[in-house]
Amino acid sequence: MTDRTPLLIVGHGTRSAAGVAQFGALVERIRRRGAVADVEGGFIELSRPPLTDAVGALVGRGHRSVVALPLVLAAAGHGKGDIPAALARERQRHPGLRYAYGRPLGPHPRLQEVLAERIDAALDGADRAGTWVALIGRGSTDPDANAEVTKVARLLWEGRGYAGVEPGFISLAEPSVPSVLERLRRLGARRIVVAPYFLFAGVLPDRILAQSREFAADHPGLDVRVAEVIGDCDDLADLVLERHAEALRGDIRMNCDTCAYRVALPGFADKVGRPQTPHHHPDDPADGHGHHHHHQHHHDAPALRPGQVAVVGGGPGPDDLITVRGRALLDAADVVVADRLAPAGLLRRLRPGVLVVDAAKVPRGPSMSQDAINDTLVAHARAGRRVVRLKGGDPYVFGRGHEEVLACAAAGVETVLVPGVSSAVAAPGLAGVPVTHRGVAHEVTVVSGHLPPGHPDSLVDWAALARARGTLVLLMAVDTVGRIAAELLAHGRAAATPVLVVRDAGHPGQWTARCRLDEVGALATRDDVRPPAVFVIGPVVALAADTTPAPAAVSAQG
Ligand code: SAH
């Protein structure tokens, strides 16, 4: 049966005329099969026809939905970044165009068989048992792609009777061709077949041949042969059609578990959350033309672009109460401007080379003024850096986050807001007290104690809060809680209203104490009660998971 959704085969491009011819022959072979009604092939750079012509031809024949198959052996920069970016440009050119993206070709048993056939051809009757194979992949800055080549090498070895198969790489990864050949020589190899794990001819397969010959010339006793690349063949056509059918079923089965763009792999943590960055291979154009855009990875990982400021809530302090999104943006940052209450452990685990600006604001002590912080954010963003403004708790709860967002907007700098777990809710919760509870408190009011009652700039209606029956949460109130309690009592709050103090919530030194509203002024003078602390006032405090009755004076746990 002929499938009506067309197949768009996307190649990266090569400066090798032979490689371009092999690609064209494969497209023609697949077309002749007739399994898919319409087939086009195009390159994203270097070679003709360009992708845009192939898409234009399909759209011109009335197609609005295609299967786009990246003609790559493993998911690395081209499959994850360059080709999706090129397809995104085509979708802008042709509004309404949709595509299903196929998965990379390998590893696949058909390809393993083709590799074994190419090796047999090079052996020309010599026995497998006396033969070592050096399987040479392209090499990538993406560790997962290199691991795929290693897997292919192992699969090739299994059950085929070679003396052994060792992986190597022609660029960007180790071991190199000469070092894998030297390794095999030392293992006692007398005959080695170098098998390029490449689809088509190109600059890199040529280099594999040259380096293998050079090694052979230096070691006359050693029989070194080089196998052909996979090339245009029926097995490859079968596999491409299999990937087409699979993409139509929505069955992609990509392995994202070891993708450096989502998981912090040792030595590659700087990739997490980043869009694919431009990368250069030896057969890319020398000027890197066409690589100056930033590629959108196929994963929907949050991205922080150069020149943007992310205002990120870090949570109340332990390193693991930041959101997953906040953590990813932190990993992507070039500059982190941190508050005193921002989770300190996170700052110790940034990529090497990340600039950390300490905007510590010690209460009523010397501080970096808000204007200076705003200027710092804008200056780094304008210099093209990815900036994270890391704050304690939630940036929009007494965090001045919005002042910074507005300052950036006024300077024409784009911002991203990442909410955080606020201490206003988390500190009571971590101390076993819910800020609301059915039948006990149906409202919660979060109040800054920064300005005491009666202060001319205060915007708080303390009399109204005294009349209310719900939960009051006071932040920044260590110095003012006595005056606040007196004001609440004066306006009618019951003296026996329970109060909870939580200091350093979520930290190993979290400390809590409970008392009555008419006792909290005295409690607050104790040395234990110091910032950062929240006060919770209201009947919910009596529900504390630890239900030891509050003694006349003070109950504390440190
Ligand atoms: N944006 C922050 C609040 C900043 S104001 C948030 O959403 O949490 C600073 C006040 O937050 C402190 O004075 C204290 O009242 C409270 N606070 C922050 N972290 C705290 C913690 N780990 N334990 C107790 N209180 C905390």
Side-chain angles (χ1 to χ4, degrees), residues 507-526:
H507 294 267
Q510 172 174 318
W511 181 92
T512 62
R514 283 195 285 153
C515 63
R516 291 161 43 115
L517 185 58
D518 58 359
E519 295 164 344
V520 71
L523 171 70
T525 60
R526 290 179 43 160

Side-chain angles (χ1 to χ4, degrees), residues 315-318 340-341 391-399 420-424 427 474-478 502-507 531-535:
R340 188 175 53 86
L341 287 179
K391 294 176 164 289
D394 182 279
Y396 278 11
V397 177
F398 304 131
V421 174
S422 178
S423 65
L474 307 180
L475 273 60
M476 296 179 281
V478 167
V502 190
R503 193 198 74 214
D504 290 325
H507 294 267
V534 304
F535 296 86

Side-chain angles (χ1 to χ4, degrees), residues 470-483:
T471 308
L472 265 183
V473 181
L474 307 180
L475 273 60
M476 296 179 281
V478 167
D479 294 340
T480 53
V481 69
R483 276 172 283 172

Side-chain angles (χ1 to χ4, degrees), residues 219-453:
H219 301 88
L222 201 61
D223 175 0
V224 180
R225 311 173 185 203
V226 181
E228 293 291 330
V229 296
I230 292 165
D232 162 45
C233 60
D234 273 327
D235 285 294
L236 187 54
D238 289 340
L239 178 52
V240 167
L241 289 169
E242 189 178 322
R243 292 287 182 252
H244 172 265
E246 193 179 79
L248 279 180
R249 289 197 303 269
D251 174 14
I252 299 305
R253 285 186 289 171
M254 277 191 61
N255 178 13
C256 300
D257 296 346
T258 49
C259 177
Y261 295 92
R262 346 191 90 186
V263 180
L265 301 179
F268 294 90
D270 60 321
K271 291 193 184 234
V272 176
R274 290 215 172 195
Q276 273 274 331
T277 46
H279 60 284
H280 299 279
H281 271 276
D283 64 350
D284 287 341
D287 61 359
H289 211 71
H291 280 278
H292 295 300
H293 47 269
H294 281 268
H295 304 306
Q296 208 50 57
H297 190 217
H298 67 280
H299 292 139
D300 54 353
L304 182 59
R305 289 197 300 275
Q308 287 185 327
V309 173
V311 178
V312 175
D319 298 346
D320 56 354
L321 280 179
I322 191 171
T323 63
V324 172
R325 183 178 299 180
R327 182 66 221 251
L329 294 192
L330 209 51
D331 284 329
D334 302 310
V335 179
V336 177
V337 182
D339 267 355
R340 188 175 53 86
L341 287 179
L346 291 174
L347 299 176
R348 287 192 291 274
R349 264 183 266 130
L350 296 171
R351 292 181 291 123
V354 173
L355 175 66
V356 177
V357 179
D358 181 5
K361 289 189 211 154
V362 179
R364 294 181 180 84
S367 67
M368 191 169 172
S369 79
Q370 190 60 49
D371 284 347
I373 293 170
N374 297 349
D375 292 348
T376 301
L377 297 175
V378 168
H380 284 297
R382 283 191 173 154
R385 301 187 185 107
R386 298 172 167 90
V387 184
V388 165
R389 171 69 170 122
L390 184 65
K391 294 176 164 289
D394 182 279
Y396 278 11
V397 177
F398 304 131
R400 296 194 164 195
H402 201 56
E403 292 176 40
E404 293 164 4
V405 166
L406 294 176
C408 287
V413 168
E414 279 181 46
T415 56
V416 175
L417 183 88
V418 182
V421 174
S422 178
S423 65
V425 175
L430 291 167
V433 169
V435 290
T436 68
H437 194 76
R438 191 158 54 96
V440 177
H442 293 178
E443 78 208 28
V444 51
T445 310
V446 180
V447 187
S448 166
H450 182 62
L451 299 176

